[in-house]
Amino acid sequence: MQTIAVIGAGMMGKGIAQTSAQSGYKVLLTDVELAIAEAGKAGIAKGLGGQVKRGKMTEEQVAEILDRITPIGDYAPMAEADLIIEAATEREDIKIKILGKAGEVLGADAIMASNTSSIPITRMGATCPDPTRFIGMHFFNPVPVMRLLEIIPGLASSETTIARAREFGDKLNKQVILAGDEPGFIVNRILLPMINEAIFVLGQGVGSIEDIDNGCKLGLNHPMGPLELADFVGIDTLYEIVKVVYQTTGDSKYRPAPLLVKYAEAGWHGRKTGRGFYDYSGETPVPTR
Ligand code: 3HC
């Protein structure tokens, strides 16, 4: 594999593009329009600039990484990609539209992956021109830092596709784990009920935002408390994942906490909107309740 195309220049798409370029791949980065893909590359440049300031990288290394990333405004150039990774908004209708368009230009030997957090891979694969060459590749935020890559074969994914996805993960220096195509796969099946429960705990007045987060940070050695993590991942994204897991299993233990629904509906989506469980308008985040 030499060329990777990443569809979606949000938090996850940028992270996947940066990590792939850092591992020597040529990367084509796209979004709904060229300007967004260009802004995505500028965001990557800013992050890498920080690494230079901290003495972790040289200007030359950063220039080489950025040289490998090309923002594109339409799908045609992706015909040269060996792997196309969809990393768009966590909504099945949006993802299926993208996969349909990407499937039209997918090279004869190339494979296609979705970075979905929860949507069934088999179901999405069935909408692709060649389901044998489609697979789930679930990255974790921030992608350049988190060591894990969860690979989820669909019912139709071929052994070659699985092997190629694994080989890509190895090249990115990620620890690859293989998950079944079940709601939430492995990690989100475990993580989401924890975050959702923390929101129930908050809603029922059992603890304050600070005490819930400190409880998990200091009592469990988690790097971030569950509410801080919810803001970091995005409350809208979490809500979509919880809904998928709840609807697909029909199991009431996965029902979204009422406060999660309210925050999602209020547009209080966390860091990216400036407000979630914390307020991000000042220098340091302040709990909002
Ligand atoms: N890009 C590149 N490097 C980054 C980065 C980014 N966006 N963010 C942080 N880093 C690097 C820093 O440069 C630093 O590197 P160094 O050790 O070489 O100096 C290192 O990561 C630590 O960063 P900081 O010192 O700034 O901050 P912290 O020590 O507080 O760590 C954190 C930040 C790594 C985000 C840590 O708080 C953490 O691990 N949080 C939990 C993250 C997590 O759980 N992610 C998974 C979310 S679930 C998910 O993504 C799945 C989805 O489907 C829901």
Side-chain angles (χ1 to χ4, degrees):
M1 273 193 209
Q2 289 181 335
T3 305
I4 312 298
V6 180
I7 306 173
M11 200 157 55
M12 296 307 287
K14 279 189 290 191
I16 297 167
Q18 177 187 325
T19 308
S20 304
Q22 278 179 217
S23 304
Y25 291 102
K26 191 179 158 203
V27 178
L28 303 169
L29 178 62
T30 189
D31 206 296
V32 287
E33 55 184 73
L34 181 60
I36 300 177
E38 283 170 342
K41 182 172 174 180
I44 295 171
K46 195 172 165 213
L48 289 171
Q51 298 289 88
V52 174
K53 273 194 204 133
R54 296 162 95 167
K56 304 274 176 193
M57 272 188 199
T58 64
E59 301 262 9
E60 293 70 30
Q61 283 170 318
V62 168
E64 271 176 29
I65 294 166
L66 291 174
D67 256 2
R68 293 193 200 107
I69 304 175
T70 311
I72 55 171
D74 68 273
Y75 284 23
M78 293 197 295
E80 67 162 291
D82 302 294
L83 164 64
I84 298 179
I85 305 175
E86 170 281 315
T89 307
E90 187 66 6
R91 278 216 352 237
E92 190 164 352
D93 54 337
I94 295 176
K95 287 186 184 290
I96 284 179
K97 236 186 237 164
I98 289 173
L99 292 172
K101 268 174 70 187
E104 285 171 17
V105 298
L106 186 71
D109 295 324
I111 65 168
M112 194 154 73
S114 172
N115 176 54
T116 178
S117 316
S118 60
I119 302 167
I121 300 302
T122 302
R123 195 159 82 202
M124 278 200 284
T127 71
C128 297
D130 182 358
T132 66
R133 289 189 286 138
F134 179 70
I135 195 158
M137 285 178 118
H138 183 209
F139 288 87
F140 292 81
N141 185 27
V143 181
V145 180
M146 303 303 281
R147 285 289 326 282
L148 187 70
L149 172 62
E150 193 173 25
I151 290 183
I152 311 104
L155 204 55
S157 309
S158 72
E159 288 303 323
T160 314
T161 301
I162 299 169
R164 295 185 75 193
R166 259 187 187 283
E167 183 199 314
F168 175 66
D170 291 343
K171 183 91 190 290
L172 297 192
N173 197 25
K174 299 294 182 202
Q175 173 70 52
V176 171
I177 61 170
L178 211 57
D181 186 20
E182 296 296 331
F185 316 132
I186 292 176
V187 181
N188 279 342
R189 165 91 172 261
I190 298 167
L191 174 68
L192 267 296
M194 186 195 76
I195 295 179
N196 195 37
E197 199 60 31
I199 302 172
F200 270 116
V201 166
L202 178 67
Q204 290 167 357
V206 181
S208 66
I209 291 176
E210 259 177 320
D211 286 346
I212 292 168
D213 277 348
N214 278 333
C216 292
K217 275 198 286 201
L218 307 177
L220 304 173
N221 236 359
H222 289 187
M224 284 177 170
L227 302 172
E228 191 186 356
L229 185 57
D231 279 0
F232 183 66
V233 170
I235 288 168
D236 51 339
T237 303
L238 291 177
Y239 182 41
E240 289 301 324
I241 305 172
V242 173
K243 274 195 296 190
V244 170
V245 176
Y246 179 40
Q247 283 159 7
T248 343
T249 59
D251 190 332
S252 65
K253 78 176 174 181
Y254 298 116
R255 74 199 180 284
L259 208 53
L260 171 63
V261 182
K262 279 207 184 97
Y263 272 58
E265 290 176 349
W268 293 356
H269 293 169
R271 279 196 197 188
K272 63 186 169 191
T273 59
R275 185 188 171 129
F277 293 108
Y278 293 82
D279 180 340
Y280 297 90
S281 55
E283 269 213 348
T284 45
V286 180
T288 54
R289 294 165 73 97

